[in-house]
Amino acid sequence: METLVTLESFVRSAQSSSFSAAARKLGLTPAAVSQNVARLEARLGVRLFQRSTRALTLTEPGERFLREVSGSLDTLQAAIANVSQAAEQPAGVLKVSMAPALGSGYLLPLLHDFLARYPGIVPDWDFTNQPVDLIKGGFDAAIGGGFDLASGVAARELARVHIIAVASPSYLARITPPQEPADLQRLEGILLRSPLTGRLHSRTLRNREGEQVAVEMRPRMILNDPGSLCHCALMGLGITLVSTLSALPHLREGTLVRLLPDWYADVGPISLYYPGHRQLPAKTRVFVDYVVREFKRQDLAGMFDATRAAGGRGRKAAGNRRAL
């Protein structure tokens, strides 16, 4: 029977395509990881990797073996971690990736209460708008949208991402405010270029009656950072299309105004992603449960809902929100 460290050496090397990267994750030397894999190959009687000076790639038997053992290895590791932590509070470094607007505006304010409950947990949070690979990146969880649901990863939807049109009062004082989506074509737009594809984001707005209109605006400026759209709109440089979660603080303060309140774009869910095996480490399990519970308690999904905000419910709900 193979030892846990031998199987770990194989699985982590396969996931990262590198003995050195696997060694860093396991706290071993690259030579030790290579020797563990060699012992496993000798025991199985097959070559699991093709090795070269530039690359480490799985053979066909290696790919088949990885599929068969990786899920069981994660379950076994989580079970061992949970047993060792059964008599104490969840502890350890909690590495989480999240979008900057969501993280700074809505999750950081939860930290005080979360850490008071779980003082042994050390948050290690990575703020990025780009999807990450949970396994290769060594993340315990990720929060955002646009992730491919890879094998072995579970997702819990927290809210929908709704896009709305906003501008500053100073800009609106210089123009005739739009009454229909088509009116945006004659106005100056603060546009978003995708950092992944390099293309300008195009939006199709819809209303509650089901009508849909593709929106085009005359470019006043183009940015590749979603977080900068609101800042430029605050400067009175034009109209921009941003998520409700980014716009909410400015709408409450009156520094931005929502245009076309019956129209919005739904661009998908904000979800909480985490390894999908049953025996999650205690630190990850309590974090997932806490975030899901707080989203429900504070009705963040309702606050991000552009249709509820259009009907006036969003402002009332915002007044009941604590510490955000």
Side-chain angles (χ1 to χ4, degrees):
M1 180 154 180
E2 303 307 324
T3 64
L4 183 61
V5 69
T6 301
L7 292 175
E8 278 186 313
S9 295
F10 164 69
V11 170
R12 303 312 170 204
S13 297
Q15 290 172 340
S16 58
S17 301
S18 166
F19 288 144
S20 297
R24 288 193 294 270
K25 292 180 181 179
L26 297 174
L28 301 173
T29 64
V33 171
S34 177
Q35 291 168 5
N36 287 338
V37 171
R39 280 195 290 270
L40 180 59
E41 290 176 322
R43 172 72 175 82
L44 297 176
V46 295
R47 181 172 290 276
L48 299 173
F49 289 106
Q50 294 288 358
R51 299 162 172 83
S52 72
T53 56
R54 294 185 177 181
L56 182 70
T57 57
L58 285 167
T59 61
E60 184 177 348
E63 291 178 347
R64 185 168 57 250
F65 188 63
L66 178 65
R67 289 194 299 268
E68 293 173 350
V69 303
S70 58
S72 299
L73 176 63
D74 288 339
T75 300
L76 180 58
Q77 289 176 317
I80 293 171
N82 284 341
V83 167
S84 67
Q85 295 173 357
E88 58 188 64
Q89 288 279 349
V93 174
L94 181 70
K95 188 175 181 182
V96 184
S97 172
M98 63 191 72
L102 181 66
S104 60
Y106 301 93
L107 293 171
L108 280 179
L110 303 178
L111 269 184
H112 186 274
D113 180 59
F114 181 75
L115 293 179
R117 297 186 186 200
Y118 308 109
I121 293 178
V122 178
D124 180 358
W125 288 6
D126 180 61
F127 292 89
T128 177
N129 284 308
Q130 299 191 23
V132 298
D133 187 317
L134 264 68
I135 304 302
K136 289 187 178 181
F139 290 95
D140 298 293
I143 305 175
F147 283 68
D148 292 327
L149 197 58
S151 176
V153 176
R156 296 183 67 170
E157 183 173 322
L158 301 172
R160 302 294 297 184
V161 180
H162 284 178
I163 303 295
I164 58 175
V166 299
S168 70
S170 63
Y171 181 77
L172 294 176
R174 305 197 305 268
I175 67 168
T176 300
Q179 301 301 311
E180 298 292 339
D183 295 340
L184 293 174
Q185 296 180 12
R186 61 179 171 79
L187 299 171
E188 297 171 303
I190 303 168
L191 307 184
L192 177 65
R193 186 185 300 280
S194 169
L196 295 178
T197 67
R199 300 173 184 168
L200 290 180
H201 274 274
S202 60
R203 302 296 187 191
T204 298
L205 300 184
R206 66 177 68 175
N207 61 19
R208 283 173 287 181
E209 284 69 47
E211 298 176 274
Q212 297 189 43
V213 179
V215 171
E216 293 184 6
M217 286 189 288
R218 178 161 51 90
R220 179 65 181 87
M221 62 186 307
I222 300 170
L223 307 167
N224 72 345
D225 171 35
S228 298
L229 298 177
C230 279
H231 293 295
C232 292
L234 289 167
M235 297 166 61
L237 298 177
I239 295 172
T240 193
L241 297 169
V242 294
S243 67
T244 50
L245 68 90
S246 295
L248 272 175
H250 308 294
L251 295 175
R252 293 194 196 105
E253 295 171 359
T255 51
L256 287 179
V257 177
R258 181 178 178 182
L259 310 177
L260 306 172
D262 293 326
W263 295 87
Y264 69 99
D266 186 329
V267 294
I270 300 170
S271 296
L272 175 55
Y273 301 86
Y274 53 92
H277 50 73
R278 293 182 179 180
Q279 297 293 335
L280 279 176
K283 63 179 182 179
T284 307
R285 186 181 65 252
V286 297
F287 176 74
V288 169
D289 291 343
Y290 186 82
V291 170
V292 170
R293 184 168 60 249
E294 284 300 305
F295 260 72
K296 290 181 179 178
R297 185 185 72 80
Q298 299 186 36
D299 191 25
L300 293 183
M303 292 170 56
F304 299 158
D305 188 336
T307 63
R308 287 175 58 175
R313 173 85 182 273
R315 184 173 296 278
K316 181 178 180 181
N320 294 331
R321 183 164 163 237
R322 182 170 60 86
L324 294 183

